[in-house]
Amino acid sequence: MPPRRSLKILAAAALAALVILAATAAPPAAPPTDVPMAPAHAAAVRTPSAPTAWGGQRTGAEATLSDRVANYRIDATLDPLRHTIEARQQLTWRNRSDQAIRSVYLHLYLNAHRNENSTFYTEERNGGEGFRSGLDAGAEKYGYTELRSVRQNGRAVPWTFVQPDGGPATDRTVVRFDLPQPVAAGASTTLDIAFFDQLPRVTVRMGYFDTFHFVAQWFPKIAVLELPGERGATTVRWNAHEYHAESEYYADFGHYDVRLTVPRGYTVGATGERQGEAVEKNGLVTHRFVQGDVHDFAWTADSRTAPPLRATWRGAGGQPVQVTVLFPPEYRSNAAPVLKATLDSLAYFERTLGPYPYRTVTAVIPPYNGREASGMEYPTFFTADCVPDPSPGTMDQMTLDFVTVHEFGHGYFYGILASNEFEEPMLDEGLNEFWDQRMLHARGQRLHATNSWLRRLGFAPTFDVFGFERIGLPLDEPADPLGENAYGRLEGIGPVYARTALMLRDLEAQLGKDVMERAMREYYRRWKFRHPSMADLRVTLAEVSGRAELVDTVFAQQVYATQAVDDRIADFTSDEVVPQPGYAQVGGKQVNIAKAQAEENADAVRERWRKAHPDARVGTGPYPYRTAVVLRRRGAAVPQTLVVTFADGSRETVQWTGNERWRRFEWVRPVQAVSAQLDPERKHLLDANKLDDGRTLARDTSATQRWTIDAGTIVQTLLALLATL
């Protein structure tokens, strides 16, 4: 995953209607599967996995690096003018369980961008934040995957879109296939799937800009069937989550054989090894890539790519690794630094963690105006950043180096170890951030908070990389345990990066550098190609260090949890729920309803309603209101009562009796809320600040505002000025 709140995002901050909801065009739904789902809000696992989990530890004597479960053969054709993909795939899946499987679940991640009624956009809208820069590409930001046909042994497979996490019924990122022929225990089945992709403008991790196409999370990908003793599972269960705004991916290892057809003149890069020469026919060129023992496949195609930069790296075992950097002409200056950082990363990660098991690494530098595709990782393949001036001793140089190291590092933590990024993002984003900063620190690289122009004037402040992680972190009152899942966070995924890096750096300071490195090498050796859990990391660190009490205490304090009484209302909103723009099926066709049109339709509905209800009170209207109250807790957990009053005089009273650090309450009602009051009976006078127990929608300046400033804020302001120069 891109370092959204790591150096890349911290540097950015520091250098700073009618939508008709289409019913599924699938055959009638079959009865639901009899295999349960992993909990919607599953997070850090506390029970270590069984020694036999995922087929047991890989010794190197096996025929394959991983225990391959899901194998894909895909033929795809890109239309770069319409930005579409026509594809067929054969998915061969093996049932590892001891029971027959009647239904399987697949991810259609691209459907997160179908319209703003998806789980992804609903969470972004309700959270008030956009992905990275928040770039709004208008109607072009929408895209989708459409299933054309699904067959098992020649028989049609009915499908149903489901929402395992309880997201909106309009989300189509998880689909259930009800198989005509159940898959017996230990047996395999092959599904023939025809699908169509409409790519979005690159705004969130993937998509197109002009001739540049970065194609990721683009094919139907089967979810993971977990067995007892794996990642805390006590029964056979499906692990499938909707595509959340803050989450990423989790999949089984397998073998990929992919043929990509593009127009003549397009340079193609992809996961895995190129097979032979490309084949040209009728102006189209087909490239074939094959890679075993990976759990995903991504690719890029662009007619503007400059001649690639290449090098060969050999590790301690002597196996050659072909390193390729693809870049557009305008970022030629970035290519050599990206190549060097990749080569350096191969050496460091092999020395400190273990051997790199593949024979290729491909880094892609996005074009100008395509930066939203930067900083994304896939097996053997990642996107770096693109900066104007990577001169030595500048922020741009550090940004380019760090993002390259970070995305390569994901090849180990996300790629080879393959933890569950939905439920335990710390095992990928957090561990990777720590190891990246550790590498930069080991080679004496510091963050230079300047650019070439200011450097010539003598202004060149520097920061230690771990010290810089502190800037902008809520160290005084973290809201979420590091072990929380990716999408159940008040403060978003960002603190997972920096807080994990600092936690592990502090643990290393107590254990010793050599001990930490030895423990992490053992973690990699035990769990490569096996999907470890948080408990598996904890146990490995404890066993290898011989200091179980220290390790367990740190995990209890920082991973599984995050005293004074100080509860407050942190946020109070009550907004109309109106139809959102995006693709909708109208009259049997996909119609892209633009934002302006959706707003115009909503305004027309409001106007008609006002004429029909001239005496309606404020806070009522044709649309319902979504009211949300976020409660925050600084200190000890105490039972609380929250009363929300609405425009018609009605009330909602709820109890908060848990020990969470935050809680969001939501209602959808015909009228708007006007006030929210925590502890209305004033039972908790020990509460450090009672002024923040009440909120109204109207502006209230009766309480004294509290302003704070610290050195980190000054630095951020200064660096934000630098970003404009």
Side-chain angles (χ1 to χ4, degrees):
M1 178 176 180
R4 286 177 285 281
R5 307 296 196 279
S6 62
L7 176 65
K8 183 175 176 189
I9 292 307
L10 286 172
L15 288 172
L18 180 63
V19 175
I20 298 179
L21 302 179
T24 174
T33 176
D34 53 358
V35 175
M37 306 294 289
H41 292 282
V45 175
R46 296 173 180 266
T47 304
S49 299
T52 56
W54 315 106
Q57 183 175 312
R58 309 300 289 182
T59 65
E62 298 83 2
T64 56
L65 295 173
S66 67
D67 181 26
R68 299 177 182 179
V69 177
N71 300 323
Y72 296 81
R73 293 178 57 120
I74 306 176
D75 287 273
T77 300
L78 171 70
D79 181 339
L81 299 180
R82 295 181 175 84
H83 314 295
T84 61
I85 297 171
E86 292 274 2
R88 302 189 69 87
Q89 80 175 31
Q90 283 188 327
L91 163 60
T92 300
W93 177 78
R94 176 166 53 88
N95 176 10
R96 298 188 304 125
S97 78
D98 60 359
Q99 63 189 78
I101 299 298
R102 297 172 176 81
S103 299
V104 298
Y105 293 84
L106 282 83
H107 296 282
L108 300 179
Y109 289 115
L110 183 52
N111 279 343
H113 309 293
R114 182 174 181 268
N115 57 42
E116 301 213 13
N117 296 298
S118 67
T119 296
F120 185 99
Y121 278 110
T122 297
E123 290 177 345
E124 278 209 337
R125 184 169 63 253
N126 292 345
E129 292 186 3
F131 182 81
R132 296 192 187 172
S133 69
L135 174 67
D136 187 354
E140 291 183 349
K141 74 178 182 178
Y142 302 114
Y144 60 89
T145 290
E146 182 176 85
L147 294 173
R148 295 287 175 80
S149 70
V150 182
R151 306 188 76 81
Q152 180 194 37
N153 298 325
R155 299 173 63 184
V157 176
W159 69 79
T160 306
F161 293 105
V162 297
Q163 298 78 37
D165 301 333
T170 45
D171 185 78
R172 294 187 172 188
T173 58
V174 180
V175 63
R176 190 183 77 231
F177 291 171
D178 297 307
L179 304 177
Q181 180 180 341
V183 187
S188 297
T189 192
T190 297
L191 300 176
D192 293 292
I193 304 172
F195 65 96
F196 171 85
D197 287 341
Q198 171 66 63
L199 299 179
R201 163 72 160 81
V202 58
T203 56
V204 181
R205 301 189 177 112
M206 58 81 67
Y208 70 86
F209 176 75
D210 195 17
T211 63
F212 173 74
H213 294 77
F214 179 55
V215 187
Q217 303 307 338
W218 59 288
F219 62 94
K221 185 165 63 172
I222 195 164
V224 179
L225 188 70
E226 295 178 327
L227 309 186
E230 296 176 349
R231 297 194 58 262
T234 56
T235 62
V236 177
R237 69 183 186 189
W238 280 104
N239 196 299
H241 294 286
E242 298 152 40
Y243 194 179
H244 296 270
E246 295 278 11
S247 70
E248 289 194 305
Y249 320 111
Y250 175 47
D252 276 315
F253 287 99
H255 184 271
Y256 286 76
D257 187 340
V258 182
R259 288 175 171 83
L260 304 171
T261 300
V262 300
R264 182 194 302 119
Y266 274 72
T267 299
V268 174
T271 293
E273 298 182 59
R274 185 182 295 273
Q275 305 296 300
E277 296 297 323
V279 177
E280 182 173 347
K281 182 179 180 181
N282 299 327
L284 297 177
V285 182
T286 299
H287 306 259
R288 182 185 178 203
F289 292 85
V290 172
Q291 183 61 62
D293 307 302
V294 294
H295 49 77
D296 209 343
F297 186 99
W299 55 287
T300 186
D302 191 358
S303 64
R304 295 183 60 251
T305 301
L309 195 60
R310 292 190 171 92
T312 300
W313 179 85
R314 282 182 170 81
Q319 174 178 289
V321 177
Q322 182 68 43
V323 182
T324 302
V325 179
L326 303 177
F327 60 94
E330 64 268 26
Y331 287 119
R332 187 176 304 276
S333 64
N334 290 205
V338 167
L339 179 64
K340 184 180 188 306
T342 304
L343 295 170
D344 290 351
S345 298
L346 278 163
Y348 183 82
F349 277 73
E350 180 184 71
R351 184 173 70 254
T352 59
L353 288 176
Y356 181 77
Y358 308 116
R359 289 196 287 264
T360 64
V361 179
T362 300
V364 179
I365 299 173
Y368 186 76
N369 282 335
R371 195 179 186 189
E372 288 296 308
S374 68
M376 273 309 300
E377 72 281 357
Y378 293 92
T380 78
F381 178 87
F382 66 87
T383 53
D385 207 344
C386 47
V387 300
D389 178 21
S391 299
T394 64
M395 177 66 83
D396 272 359
Q397 180 206 27
M398 185 60 163
T399 297
L400 190 61
D401 277 1
F402 180 82
V403 174
T404 302
V405 173
H406 187 89
E407 302 314 324
F408 172 85
H410 276 304
Y412 274 72
F413 293 103
Y414 145 84
I416 301 166
L417 288 163
S419 52
N420 186 328
E421 292 185 272
F422 288 97
E423 298 175 1
E424 298 181 303
M426 174 187 153
L427 292 180
D428 174 45
E429 298 297 355
L431 285 185
N432 186 34
E433 183 91 353
F434 170 53
W435 221 249
D436 304 336
Q437 298 290 36
R438 195 177 186 272
M439 171 182 165
L440 297 176
H441 184 80
R443 65 181 187 176
Q445 188 164 356
R446 294 176 64 83
L447 188 147
H448 295 267
T450 188
N451 57 30
S452 295
W453 182 76
L454 287 175
R455 190 174 184 83
R456 285 193 293 270
L457 295 178
F459 181 81
T462 65
F463 297 87
D464 174 77
V465 290
F466 280 109
F468 189 77
E469 292 281 12
R470 290 176 49 85
I471 297 178
L473 266 185
L475 295 173
D476 56 338
E477 51 170 347
D480 308 299
L482 287 173
E484 179 59 272
N485 61 46
Y487 45 90
R489 295 175 172 274
L490 176 65
E491 294 168 335
I493 195 71
V496 172
Y497 297 77
R499 283 187 58 223
T500 302
L502 293 176
M503 182 205 86
L504 292 174
R505 182 266 172 201
D506 291 349
L507 180 60
E508 181 176 35
Q510 298 178 74
L511 295 177
K513 175 183 174 183
D514 292 342
V515 172
M516 175 63 83
E517 201 162 290
R518 189 166 67 249
M520 289 300 293
R521 280 200 300 268
E522 178 63 13
Y523 175 66
Y524 180 77
R525 188 185 72 85
R526 288 183 188 180
W527 291 104
K528 59 186 177 182
F529 303 110
R530 291 182 64 207
H531 313 290
S533 72
M534 198 76 72
D536 300 323
L537 172 66
R538 186 193 76 234
V539 167
T540 305
L541 290 172
E543 289 180 356
V544 175
S545 69
R547 301 184 63 182
E549 183 177 357
L550 171 62
V551 172
D552 289 346
T553 297
V554 170
F555 271 67
Q557 292 173 341
Q558 300 296 334
V559 176
Y560 297 116
T562 37
Q563 232 171 342
V565 175
D566 191 2
D567 294 341
R568 69 191 190 279
I569 296 176
D571 192 41
F572 174 41
T573 59
S574 190
D575 302 314
E576 282 184 302
V577 179
V578 298
Q580 297 297 319
Y583 278 99
Q585 193 164 348
V586 180
K589 297 181 179 180
Q590 295 288 347
V591 176
N592 192 348
I593 299 176
K595 181 178 181 180
Q597 183 62 56
E599 292 175 349
E600 182 178 336
N601 292 342
D603 287 341
V605 172
R606 293 189 189 98
E607 183 62 25
R608 289 194 298 270
W609 190 90
R610 291 190 190 101
K611 290 180 179 179
H613 304 81
D615 299 322
R617 71 178 69 192
V618 175
T620 60
Y623 295 112
Y625 286 81
R626 173 188 171 273
T627 296
V629 180
V630 175
L631 305 181
R632 286 291 309 272
R633 170 169 287 150
R634 284 195 179 100
V638 295
Q640 287 281 18
T641 299
L642 171 69
V643 175
V644 177
T645 303
F646 294 84
D648 61 358
S650 63
R651 293 185 173 186
E652 288 280 1
T653 301
V654 292
Q655 306 298 321
W656 184 20
T657 58
N659 58 3
E660 311 98 321
R661 303 300 296 179
W662 68 279
R663 179 75 181 270
R664 177 185 287 112
F665 293 94
E666 297 182 2
W667 301 268
V668 176
R669 295 182 49 141
V671 293
Q672 189 177 35
V674 295
S675 66
Q677 182 64 48
L678 184 66
D679 189 24
E681 298 177 353
R682 299 178 67 81
K683 292 181 178 179
H684 303 294
L685 296 182
L686 284 176
D687 193 327
N689 181 13
K690 300 301 290 182
L691 292 176
D692 54 21
D693 284 356
R695 294 283 291 270
T696 65
L697 287 181
R699 182 179 177 87
D700 184 355
T701 59
S702 59
T704 302
Q705 293 182 332
R706 292 177 294 177
W707 297 87
T708 61
I709 189 167
D710 58 21
T713 304
I714 296 173
V715 171
Q716 291 183 44
T717 303
L718 174 62
L719 298 184
L721 172 62
L722 296 181
T724 67
L725 300 177

